Amino acid sequence: MKIGIILGDQLSHSLPTLAQLNKQTDRLVMAELADEARYVKHHQQKLALIFSAMRHFAAELRSTGWQVDYHAFGEHGFHSFESLLETVCDGAEAVVVTHCGEYRLQQRIEHHWQKSAGVPVHCLEDSRFLCAADFFQRWASGKKQLRMEFFYREMRRHTGLLMEGDEPVGGQWNFDSSNRQPYKGKTPLPPVLAFDRDEIDRDVLALVSEEFADHIGTLDDFQWGTTSAQAQQALDHFIEHRLPHFGDYQDAMVTGEDTLFHSLLSPYINIGLLDPMVVCQAAEQAYFSGDAPLNAVEGFIRQIIGWREYVRGIYWLLMPDYAKENRLGNDRPLPSYYWTGETKMHCMAECFRNTLDHAYAHHIQRLMVTGNFALLLGVLPEAICQWYLEVYADAFDWVELPNTLGMVMHADGGYLGSKPYAASGSYINRMSDYCKHCQYNVKTASEPDSCPFNSLYWHFVHRHRQQFAGNHRMRMIYRNLERMEPAKVDAMLQRAERLLADPDAL
Ligand SMILES: Cc1cc2nc3c(=O)[nH]c(=O)nc-3n(C[C@H](O)[C@H](O)[C@H](O)COP(=O)(O)OP(=O)(O)OC[C@H]3O[C@@H](n4cnc5c(N)ncnc54)[C@H](O)[C@@H]3O)c2cc1C
Ligand code: SF4
């Protein structure tokens, strides 16, 4: 008899572990473990989503004939996988597991599990991704610079998505120039999808509110689906109501509108309830049947077969040293409003509200508001990476780390972008209505009520002159800085210094 261990983000019927085992003779083991639930203080909704989805998945497996030993939180004496393995492997000939999504745990699987289990541990490659680790390594090897755009073209060829022979459908690989519009209210917003809660959900919500009350966020507005059927409903809903305008408003932000036309699918894809290829094929089909335009469909597919696979490739290529990178030498702590949401900066308060209430923020909120601000402040990468890992329902190390450390903090020297995504308040003003509702003035930089992003932006540019003045994509910015009146530059830098002395006061 073999034991198959199924992790909390491995809730797929196509999981290699299941393909390897035999329903009649082998057993599956799933467990809600304190060490995994508490090693960072995951948002309460993230824990509720994962525990409930695990319990539903275990029930689905049983209904298809699998023998599943499920250990619910608090109903067993083990805290870690090692203590679990010491107990459940009696009489087993081997343990089978699929490669996990986190370097920390993968190390334990490879170096400690066998000792605890007392039998061989077979770790299988995770075939649920579209790009195998060795494919990425081959693609990356020998290249001076790794660029997502070129990787993405390879992935289009590899998957055949939106391809006509060897050419991209529509004659272009990328339609981003048609995207990036602010939302002015002309296009009606999509309806909200709500799910009925069953007994499993209710039990888990009660458990999380009791055991994890000290973790960030609330459960009041828990809207995530917790079964593969609900995840499929979320996909159908996205394709019908959101995809047609996904491209146009991908970068837009609006007060009180937390999702706009975004898919909200990342948690389902990341924990295995949706297959990324199935998601992309559904979007592609919407284009071929005339239900969604090419700029939207291409933009969406690029996020999944491009960015999602690219960050995973970077993670496994460069870990563990990657996590320690800090090329800009940042060391500031994260201001307290990242946990409380209480700040006078309206853009930040909106993103924090969404984060605390839903364990969600869309990409531009993460990248250009909360992330951008941490970059401009010069926050220690480790601190901001831990925050992103804690607060989002879709956060798993392999995807969170490169996005935060690389894309947001530019701490890796540029694998995720050829220049930092630093921006002043004018970007936020262009893409949102936030500044209209803010106590700060986005048009000025050195007054007592000036938008903090403005002076901090120029402080960032100024203090990192050595690193970036030679970057051709930043040449214009440094030219603008040189052309400014020295007194104006001094006033901005002084204002930034005052803000940096007490960022908690903002
Ligand atoms: C600082 C920071 C941290 C992030 N942390 C995570 C994380 O922990 N987990 C996570 O899944 N995504 C992360 N992202 C990427 C992205 O913000 C989320 O995938 C997206 O906001 C999820 O919402 P959605 O499903 O509505 O996405 P949509 O905007 O609808 O995009 C569609 C899908 O594309 C994929 N995707 C889009 N952008 C990325 C990206 N940069 N990297 C990987 N996949 C992407 C996701 O699967 C997403 O569901 C992070 C981005 C930033 C800037
Ligand atoms: S003025 Fe500045 S702080 Fe206020 S919402 Fe605009 S960008 Fe944010």
Side-chain angles (χ1 to χ4, degrees), residues 18 37 62 67 152 211 259 281 337 371-372 412 462 497:
L18 298 177
R62 283 193 188 113
Q67 304 174 64
Y152 165 59
E211 296 283 344
T259 63
Q281 283 166 340
Y337 32 81
N372 181 24
D412 63 357
H462 187 263
E497 288 291 343

Side-chain angles (χ1 to χ4, degrees), residues 345-348 425 428-429 434-435 438 440-442 451-453:
M345 293 179 281
H346 182 65
C347 54
M348 295 277 278
I428 295 173
N429 194 29
Y434 291 158
C435 303
C438 188
Y440 292 107
N441 182 355
V442 73
C451 169
F453 281 82

Side-chain angles (χ1 to χ4, degrees), residues 436-454:
K436 284 190 201 130
H437 304 279
C438 188
Q439 296 183 31
Y440 292 107
N441 182 355
V442 73
K443 300 286 180 203
T444 63
S446 46
E447 308 301 317
D449 70 342
S450 295
C451 169
F453 281 82
N454 289 345

